[in-house]
Every structure is written in C-alpha cells, then in structure tokens.
Amino acid sequence: MSRILFYLDGYSHDVWREAFRAVDPSVEFRGFPDWGSPDDGPAYAFVWEAEPGLLKRFPNIKAIFSLGAGVDHLMRDPDLPKDVPIIRMGDDGLKEGMAEYVLMSVLMHHRQMPLLATAQSKARWQRVFSRPARHVRVGILGYGALGKCAAEALKPLGYNIAAWSRSPKPAEDGVQHFTGEDALNDFLARTDILVGLLPSTKETEGLLNFDRLSRLPEGASVINAGRGTLIVLEDLIALLNSGYLKGATLDVFPEEPLPADSPLWHQEGLLITPHCAAITRPDTAAEYVVRNIGRIEAGEVPENILDLGRGY
Ligand code: NDP
Ligand code: OXD
C-alpha cells in the first residue's frame, strides 16, 4: 500500500482519487488539506504549486512527484526538502496533448491563420497562398520527451524539421540536430516556424531576445509552449509590429494567468492559449506515478528524475 499526499488547488480531487483507485485500489489517496500527520509513515507527494514550506513539514515524504513536466513551481519553494528525489511528469497523456498542440499550431502558422483571422474580423475576403509543408522549415527548441513527440506528429506531413538541444542526439531520419549555444544562431537562421519546448532554467530565461529573434528569417513565426520566461515579450511584440515576424502563438507567460489588461490580448498576429497545450491527465498520470513508486520501492531509479544541477 502506498500513501499519496496530493495537492492541486482549485480543482476537485475526486477524479484523481478515482484514477488512482482504478490503477491500484490499495493506494491511500489523501488530498490536501487532509494529509494527516507527518508521523503517519512513509508517503509520496504528488503536487502542483503546493504552498511554500508545506513539503518541509512532512519529513515522511520519500519522493516528490510533480504534477507537470515543469518543476519551476517546486523550485520557487525556498524550503523545498533537499534530499528528497523529485520526479517530473512524463506520462503518455502529456506527450499526446503536446503533440496535438504543436501540430495544430504549426499548421495554423503555416496556413496563415492569424492573418486570416484578422481579415475575417474586418470582413475582408483575403485569399492567401501557402507553401507546401515540405518547403516549411520547423525548428523545435528543446528536444526532450515533448519535443520528440512534437516531431513525430509533424513528420507525416513532410515538414522540414530541425531540433536544438543541450546535448548531442543520435542521427535520426527526418530531423536535423543542432547542439548547444554555438549552434543556436544557425538553427534559428534555418527556421520558418519556431516551436519553444524548453524548461525554465537560468540558461533558458530570456534566451529569445531581440537579437536571437532577429536571427529567424523575415516572415517567420514563433510558438512557445515551454515556459514564458523563454521570450522577452517586448522584443517579440516589437518584431511583430514591425512586420519582421509574421505571427506567434503563446501558451505560457511570465505571469499567469495573463492579466486581463495586458496589451498582448489585443496584439495583431498573436494567438493566445491559457497554458493548456498539454494538461496532465488523471488516468495516465496515476498509472505513471504508481509505476514509479513501484520502481522506488524495488530500489530502482524512477523515470524522469530531476537533475538539480541542470534544473530540469
Ligand atoms: P525534457 O527534460 O524531456 O526536455 C527538455 C529539453 O530541453 C531537452 O532536449 C534539453 O536538452 C533541452 N534543454 C534544456 N536546457 C537547455 C539549454 N540550456 N540549451 C539547450 N537545450 C536545453 O522536458 P519535456 O520535454 O518533458 O518538457 C519540456 C518543458 O515543457 C517542461 O519543462 C515544461 O516547462 C513545458 N511544458 C509545458 C506544458 C504546457 O502545457 N504548456 C505542458 C508540459 C510541459 P538535452 O536533451 O540535451 O537534455
Ligand atoms: C507542465 C505544464 O509542466 O503543465 O506539465 O506546464
């Protein structure tokens, strides 16, 4: 029997309780604030944006599962327990969701939907001509679990795909790999539609500034579904307003929810989605957490363990 201390503010816990029951009826599921006593015996935390200091109050926690693939919500806790392993979400539901979102967004920019939406809002019959997918160069910034799924979703349409990551990747059909900071400008220069799928770390914060975004060819589009810290938004907006960049889709923002008075809501050429590119699904996530608790209990290394040094 495993005890799971669950934290997700603002949503009913019932669907999560049921999901764990379906995977393993012996799981003892405790939704916050009913976590019981820190002396209750070993437990696993499964949390999203838990209140700072809470995890430290439970020294019985053996591992912390992040309800998302990103762990920035945990890193913000100054009292995050130091010696407890952190496991990032990596379930199939998240991968499927991101693959769908990237495919949708790339198609929308390839087929010039922002321009068509503007034309519609002005009752203008403005036909557009788009290149075939094989002539469109997509660049995926961050080639981890989600970047790879995004590439698999795009390949059947014939897009010309490249990916950028920190460490070298084995050669792969249909994807050209670029590695490290030195290769970033070359990667950007060959990219018509850029897809950001990077974690938020010291290195990725503000990475896409005016200079970097200007390395994209004129008429390029930018999609960001990683973290909002990646892009210097004023620079993106300046390049959209000057017409150098054709369009953008943002799912993530430095401040979430995006304030109602943000001028971004009314920015021409910009499509906004409210951090819903890939939402962790209870059924696949419960299966993932139970599987990894099994690994920990068997003395094995769990999947997707956070490397604190790298920050992801
Ligand atoms: P992974 O850890 O599997 O992949 C991260 C990728 O980013 C790796 O390819 C890594 O390189 C690369 N990377 C990290 N730092 C650098 C750097 N400094 N320079 C170059 N490349 C770098 O993460 P996931 O694919 O699972 O998730 C990615 C991010 O997506 C999450 O961290 C989260 O922030 C975001 N996300 C957003 C969601 C949404 O709904 N909008 C939903 C889920 C996740 P390398 O391969 O060399 O390690
Ligand atoms: C995640 C997210 O990190 O939802 O999984 O953004």
Side-chain angles (χ1 to χ4, degrees):
M1 186 269 288
S2 309
R3 178 176 295 131
I4 293 180
L5 308 181
F6 183 76
Y7 191 108
L8 178 63
D9 202 17
Y11 295 87
S12 162
H13 291 175
D14 294 347
V15 62
W16 288 92
R17 188 186 309 281
E18 279 313 309
F20 277 100
R21 186 171 299 154
V23 175
D24 180 354
S26 79
V27 163
E28 183 188 339
F29 179 94
R30 293 190 178 182
F32 186 81
D34 303 320
W35 277 18
S37 157
D39 302 325
D40 279 349
Y44 294 92
F46 183 29
V47 297
W48 182 251
E49 295 182 341
E51 53 188 64
L54 175 69
L55 294 164
K56 190 183 174 190
R57 300 213 301 270
F58 287 81
N60 57 332
I61 291 175
K62 286 178 75 176
I64 299 167
F65 287 86
S66 166
L67 208 134
V71 288
D72 32 328
H73 65 108
L74 290 168
M75 297 298 123
R76 285 195 286 268
D77 182 351
D79 291 321
L80 187 69
K82 297 253 175 308
D83 302 319
V84 178
I86 294 173
I87 294 123
R88 304 169 43 233
M89 188 45 61
D91 66 307
D92 289 343
L94 204 64
K95 294 176 190 165
E96 283 163 5
M98 190 57 85
E100 290 163 6
Y101 182 88
V102 171
L103 180 59
M104 170 189 78
S105 303
V106 166
L107 276 165
M108 286 181 84
H109 286 286
H110 165 200
R111 300 303 302 261
Q112 309 185 60
M113 274 312 286
L115 202 146
L116 292 169
T118 304
Q120 181 183 346
S121 73
K122 297 182 174 151
R124 224 169 39 210
W125 185 262
Q126 185 182 348
R127 299 177 77 206
V128 294
F129 298 91
S130 304
R131 292 174 281 174
R134 66 181 180 282
H135 293 307
V136 177
R137 298 165 298 175
V138 178
I140 303 175
L141 205 53
Y143 203 58
L146 300 180
K148 289 192 184 96
C149 292
E152 289 309 318
L154 293 167
K155 277 180 187 177
L157 275 90
Y159 285 108
N160 179 340
I161 305 169
W164 182 74
S165 56
R166 213 170 66 127
S167 56
K169 300 282 172 281
E172 174 185 350
D173 277 351
V175 181
Q176 184 188 0
H177 291 291
F178 290 77
T179 309
E181 186 114 16
D182 291 348
L184 182 56
N185 286 343
D186 287 343
F187 165 81
L188 293 171
R190 56 73 61 207
T191 293
D192 300 312
I193 301 180
L194 181 68
V195 181
L197 284 175
L198 283 167
S200 180
T201 66
K202 283 198 295 295
E203 288 76 25
T204 62
E205 192 174 328
L207 187 74
L208 292 186
N209 55 18
F210 194 91
D211 174 56
R212 287 268 165 57
L213 290 167
S214 310
R215 307 281 173 162
L216 291 163
E218 188 166 1
S221 302
V222 175
I223 296 161
N224 189 22
R227 280 295 180 265
T229 48
L230 175 71
I231 302 182
V232 181
L233 286 177
E234 310 84 84
D235 295 349
L236 176 73
I237 298 309
L239 288 159
L240 284 171
N241 284 337
S242 71
Y244 186 81
L245 291 179
K246 191 152 64 185
T249 293
L250 300 179
D251 184 60
V252 285
F253 300 85
E255 182 187 354
E256 295 182 4
L258 183 65
D261 61 358
S262 167
L264 290 179
W265 290 109
H266 310 289
Q267 174 66 43
E268 205 165 291
L270 174 62
L271 302 173
I272 288 177
T273 54
H275 199 145
C276 58
I279 294 180
T280 303
R281 280 184 8 208
D283 55 347
T284 49
E287 196 275 328
Y288 178 84
V289 170
V290 167
R291 181 170 76 238
N292 279 292
I293 289 178
R295 285 196 182 203
I296 295 169
E297 295 291 321
E300 295 165 14
V301 180
E303 296 159 62
N304 241 351
I305 194 158
L306 171 71
D307 180 330
L308 271 172
R310 291 187 322 189
Y312 66 96

